[in-house]
Amino acid sequence: MAKDRSTSSDFTGPLRRLLLAVLILVLGATFLLWRIDSPRVERFRAQITDRLVPNMDWAMAPVTGTINLLRDFQSYQRLSEQNQELRSELRQMQAWKEAALQLEQENARLLDLNKVRLDPRLTFITGVVLADSGSPFRQSVLLNVGARDGLVDGWATMDGIGLVGRISGVAQNTARVILLTDASSRIPAVIQPSGQRTIVAGDNSAAPPLDFIESTDLVRPGDRVISSGDGGVFPAGLLIGQVAEDPGGRLRVRLAADYERLEFLRVMRHYGTEKVTDNAQVISPAGPLPAQAEAEAEVVE
């Protein structure tokens, strides 16, 4: 057995050296053949290339497949990165969309505030509604304007269309607005076109009743209800709403103001009357009482 192994090694060693020598000679000859600058040798190289290269597709197939696989992987990686970028941009666009919707709503409310035509002698200041009382017994809102802006108790407040309430309590930077629906609210009004005088009395409902109408036969559902200016607290001509009739037959007013979305309120500056110092009463302009006037007339005579 040992003899067979030694004999095999004796033949294998020279054979390896022979093959290595032949390989070196072939590579050297190929190198020299490719380096020779001769037209004849150039044609020979071209013929070899034409015969060998087209038939080497099977050998290049694994290399080509590997290259394509790497390119596909790189393309997939780029697609994954682009997908992440698009998701991030989509989240940003959703945030911008929400902001745009909020700005659109605010813009619509501000446009509504600018559509109402009022007495040109009246000026106003617009405030943002900060909070709602949320109480079933007292309905009011808080504005972000106050004494620093010149607000006075008793001034009327409107949204983009109709009357909302009156200022009742002024701080330095905020003011409280008592809504028309509050149980303590009483607004003198006139019904058009009949001209009937009435009082819009809040009862904590969405449609306050109309009290003290002189002749209800002249009033029809759908008639306009506006402030009359009686008492000198509110200016005349401010839209309150339309007459409506409840199932019990009582006349109420369907308010023109959108109480579900009170975001901005217009505070009407009205300097023609005295300031309201007692929120529970409506103070009329100062003047002599009838009895005092008669006494003064008798003294003059």
Side-chain angles (χ1 to χ4, degrees):
M1 185 66 67
K3 184 177 180 180
D4 293 339
R5 290 181 179 177
S6 61
T7 303
S8 176
S9 62
D10 291 341
F11 283 103
T12 303
L15 183 60
R16 287 180 179 176
R17 289 192 291 270
L18 179 61
L19 291 176
L20 182 59
V22 172
L23 180 60
I24 292 174
L25 289 175
V26 171
L27 293 176
T30 304
F31 177 76
L32 293 175
L33 181 64
W34 238 254
R35 297 293 297 177
I36 295 175
D37 188 8
S38 172
R40 185 174 298 176
V41 176
E42 181 65 28
R43 287 194 299 270
F44 179 71
R45 288 199 297 263
Q47 291 177 0
I48 294 176
T49 303
D50 290 339
R51 288 182 177 275
L52 293 179
V53 171
N55 297 325
M56 294 295 290
D57 292 340
W58 61 271
M60 296 298 296
V63 179
T64 304
T66 303
I67 293 174
N68 292 334
L69 183 62
L70 292 175
R71 289 178 178 175
D72 293 341
F73 179 76
Q74 292 176 353
S75 177
Y76 174 77
Q77 188 176 7
R78 287 195 298 268
L79 288 176
S80 178
E81 293 176 355
Q82 292 177 358
N83 189 19
Q84 292 179 357
E85 292 177 358
L86 289 176
R87 288 178 181 273
S88 178
E89 292 179 359
L90 180 60
R91 287 192 294 268
Q92 294 178 358
M93 291 299 295
Q94 289 176 348
W96 281 109
K97 178 183 177 181
E98 184 65 23
L101 290 175
Q102 294 178 0
L103 290 175
E104 182 180 4
Q105 293 176 358
E106 293 182 3
N107 187 35
R109 301 298 297 172
L110 290 174
L111 289 176
D112 288 339
L113 288 172
N114 292 327
K115 288 179 182 177
V116 180
R117 295 184 179 181
L118 300 172
D119 190 341
R121 294 174 298 177
L122 294 175
T123 60
F124 61 87
I125 179 173
T126 301
V128 178
V129 176
L130 298 178
D132 191 339
S133 65
S135 172
F137 305 104
R138 182 173 177 84
Q139 300 188 10
S140 64
V141 295
L142 191 67
L143 295 182
N144 67 337
V145 289
R148 64 177 181 182
D149 304 292
L151 264 64
V152 176
D153 277 348
W155 280 358
T157 59
M158 303 181 66
D159 72 345
I161 301 176
L163 189 65
V164 173
R166 60 182 174 86
I167 299 294
S168 177
V170 179
Q172 183 64 25
N173 300 322
T174 58
R176 176 71 61 179
V177 177
I178 297 296
L179 304 182
L180 295 183
T181 56
D182 188 82
S184 63
S185 175
R186 299 292 185 272
I187 306 298
V190 60
I191 302 173
Q192 293 180 342
S194 63
Q196 295 294 310
R197 302 282 175 170
T198 183
I199 296 293
V200 179
D203 62 349
N204 292 332
S205 67
L210 298 175
D211 293 340
F212 307 110
I213 301 177
E214 297 176 358
S215 179
T216 57
D217 296 336
L218 300 178
V219 180
R220 297 289 183 273
D223 291 349
R224 287 166 54 89
V225 181
I226 61 175
S227 60
S228 64
D230 295 338
V233 178
F234 282 0
L238 301 181
L239 177 63
I240 298 177
Q242 294 180 338
V243 176
E245 187 174 356
D246 62 10
R250 188 175 184 182
L251 294 179
R252 293 178 176 270
V253 56
R254 184 184 297 110
L255 298 175
D258 188 0
Y259 279 72
E260 297 296 329
R261 295 188 302 173
L262 292 180
E263 299 178 5
F264 302 93
L265 291 184
R266 171 186 289 177
V267 183
M268 310 304 301
R269 296 189 180 98
H270 184 53
Y271 296 103
T273 60
E274 287 186 2
K275 301 178 181 179
V276 175
T277 57
D278 188 354
N279 297 331
Q281 297 179 358
V282 178
I283 301 177
S284 61
L289 298 175
Q292 293 177 350
E294 292 178 0
E296 290 176 0
E298 292 176 358
V299 171
V300 172
E301 292 177 356

